[in-house]
Amino acid sequence: MAKILVIEDDRHICELIQRNLKLAGHECVCCFDGRKAQEKLLAENFELVLLDVMLPAVSGFDLIPKIKNTPVIFVTARGELEDKLQGLALGAEDYIVKPFEMLELLARIHVILRRNQKGECIRIGSVLVNLDKRIVEKEQKEIALTPQEYSLLEVFIRNRNIALSREKLLELAWGYDYEGETKTVDVHVQKLRKKLGLEHVIKTITKLGYRLEI
């Protein structure tokens, strides 16, 4: 979906982010210091930059003014209010403090990408989902989904190839204040599978939940 540059000197964190971005369908490039990141930014085009503040050679705060026409999310251990305000004032679109939940990072990435890209479409076999227009087509015929069915489908797409528990699906697709049972998830998954022919794509994860594999 998107080519993302991760500028992070902690190789373990960088590899963790890279692994999850690839699972979500993105292309990911890692840099471990500010100077090499500058060279990479000059040599290649990216749709998003994940930027640490405390970097060897050139800090994230010094580097961001050199990043032109590319949205930036700071991902850093520096969580003081003045640091957040500085990062946002320098032009970052978001500021995430370590440690962070990977699903939250992916959700914020998708928000920024959606804000900066138009006409985002995802194909799942014979199904085409236009995420901007909220239109779902199968074999070029529009399929009517209820708002809740579409919300669940979008959560699967945004977190594709990642196993999600029923509780997490309730949280993401229904909202934090939903008080229903997890059986609701099973019912809506069955409806999506039937309407869109996704029986072999939305996989059941025993004793956990589901995963969209594309």
Side-chain angles (χ1 to χ4, degrees):
M1 272 175 57
K3 186 175 181 180
I4 299 173
L5 177 63
V6 182
I7 308 171
E8 166 65 64
D9 64 329
D10 186 319
R11 291 178 180 266
H12 174 73
I13 293 176
C14 199
E15 289 170 4
L16 179 64
I17 293 173
Q18 184 179 45
R19 188 182 314 123
N20 281 274
L21 287 176
K22 285 184 176 180
L23 283 172
H26 301 295
E27 180 183 351
C28 182
V29 177
C30 285
C31 275
F32 305 107
D33 71 69
R35 185 165 292 117
K36 290 183 180 178
Q38 280 183 273
E39 296 172 0
K40 185 67 68 173
L41 286 161
L42 288 172
E44 300 180 40
N45 293 320
F46 297 92
E47 291 163 84
L48 180 68
V49 175
L50 302 184
L51 178 60
D52 193 5
V53 172
M54 296 177 287
L55 293 167
V58 180
S59 76
F61 286 157
D62 290 332
L63 181 60
I64 189 173
K66 298 177 174 63
I67 302 174
K68 306 296 184 182
N69 303 316
T70 305
V72 174
I73 300 177
F74 274 114
V75 183
T76 176
R78 289 179 60 165
E80 297 297 325
L81 178 59
E82 61 183 295
D83 292 320
K84 295 179 183 179
L85 293 176
Q86 182 178 356
L88 295 171
L90 286 168
E93 297 210 21
D94 206 344
Y95 194 106
I96 299 174
V97 178
K98 303 172 186 175
F100 54 86
E101 290 288 340
M102 187 57 64
L103 285 176
E104 180 185 359
L105 176 62
L106 290 172
R108 295 199 188 195
I109 287 170
H110 291 142
V111 168
I112 301 302
L113 291 174
R114 185 165 50 190
R115 185 187 302 160
N116 287 276
Q117 295 175 341
K118 302 299 179 184
E120 184 183 4
C121 295
I122 300 295
R123 181 169 292 281
I124 311 169
S126 61
V127 175
L128 182 66
V129 183
N130 187 313
L131 294 167
D132 293 313
K133 296 181 179 180
R134 296 174 65 91
I135 294 175
V136 181
E137 296 179 348
K138 182 182 180 184
E139 297 173 351
Q140 300 183 338
K141 294 181 179 179
E142 187 170 344
I143 304 297
L145 298 182
T146 67
Q148 193 57 66
E149 288 167 354
Y150 181 85
S151 180
L152 179 60
L153 177 62
E154 184 173 8
V155 167
F156 275 128
I157 290 171
R158 299 294 184 190
N159 299 278
R160 54 193 177 278
N161 299 316
I162 297 174
L164 299 169
S165 68
R166 291 173 175 83
E167 291 77 13
K168 179 57 71 173
L169 288 166
L170 280 176
E171 176 187 317
L172 295 175
W174 276 261
Y176 289 95
D177 57 350
Y178 183 76
E179 298 180 354
E181 297 182 357
T182 55
K183 289 182 181 178
T184 301
V185 174
D186 300 325
V187 171
H188 280 77
V189 166
Q190 292 307 316
K191 289 180 178 178
L192 280 181
R193 282 171 167 169
K194 185 175 181 180
K195 284 187 176 183
L196 302 178
L198 301 179
E199 292 86 351
H200 301 297
V201 181
I202 301 178
K203 299 292 184 70
T204 300
I205 309 301
T206 305
K207 296 182 180 180
L208 178 66
Y210 299 95
R211 178 175 60 234
L212 175 65
E213 295 185 357
I214 56 177

